């Protein structure tokens, strides 16, 4: 389901395998000093973002057709808003075809994300 995630960072987060152990940007290491495999957060509600802390398990309870907003500190849902009908997953199948027979995209992006 969609989630609203608020980011306040104004710079990238760099993870450096050459940073000294314990530094905020150091790559995690095991007891022998070997680099560890890491999991990157994909749900947006990890308290350890950009690293996964298992918070995505909370998302299993989300209902289809709603947008969720979480309080990351307390791991609670603070808002649950129904999606407008045109943004529901099957909205494209309900759209009227254009004169050339194509269906339009139900989501308009005024400011697409660019890398």
């Amino acid at each position: 389901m969609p989630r609203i995630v608020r980011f306040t960072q104004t710079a990238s987060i760099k993870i450096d395998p050459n940073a000294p152990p314990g530094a905020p940007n150091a790559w995690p290491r095991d007891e022998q000093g070997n680099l560890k495999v890491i999991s990157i957060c994909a749900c947006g509600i990890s308290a350890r973002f950009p690293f996964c802390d298992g918070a995505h398990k909370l998302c299993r309870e989300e209902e289809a057709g709603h947008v969720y907003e979480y309080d990351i500190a307390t791991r609670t849902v603070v808002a649950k808003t129904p999606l407008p009908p045109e943004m529901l997953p099957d909205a494209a199948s309900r759209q009227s075809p254009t004169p050339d027979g194509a269906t339009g995209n139900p989501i308009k992006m005024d400011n697409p994300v660019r890398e």
Side-chain angles (χ1 to χ4, degrees):
M1 295 337 107
R3 264 167 241 106
I4 295 174
V5 180
R6 299 188 195 292
F7 291 103
T8 57
Q9 299 265 359
T10 58
S12 63
I13 299 171
K14 294 180 173 59
I15 305 165
D16 185 354
N18 298 316
N25 65 332
W27 192 284
R29 296 179 182 268
D30 64 18
E31 295 78 30
Q32 290 78 33
N34 301 313
L35 296 176
K36 291 172 64 174
V37 173
I38 59 171
S39 295
I40 301 298
C41 173
C43 71
I45 61 173
S46 172
R48 296 183 56 233
F49 192 86
F51 301 108
C52 175
D53 68 356
H56 58 272
K57 294 174 184 137
L58 299 170
C59 303
R60 293 179 185 156
E61 304 299 320
E62 294 176 353
E63 294 178 44
H66 292 82
V67 176
Y68 287 80
E69 185 173 352
Y70 286 84
D71 179 325
I72 295 172
T74 62
R75 294 189 178 215
T76 56
V77 174
V78 295
K80 175 183 169 186
T81 309
L83 282 170
E86 66 273 10
M87 293 189 70
L88 291 172
D90 64 344
S93 65
R94 293 192 310 266
Q95 281 192 308
S96 301
T98 58
D100 64 357
T103 56
N105 184 343
I107 300 172
K108 181 182 177 195
M109 290 184 62
D110 293 326
N111 296 312
V113 176
R114 300 185 198 281
E115 291 286 327

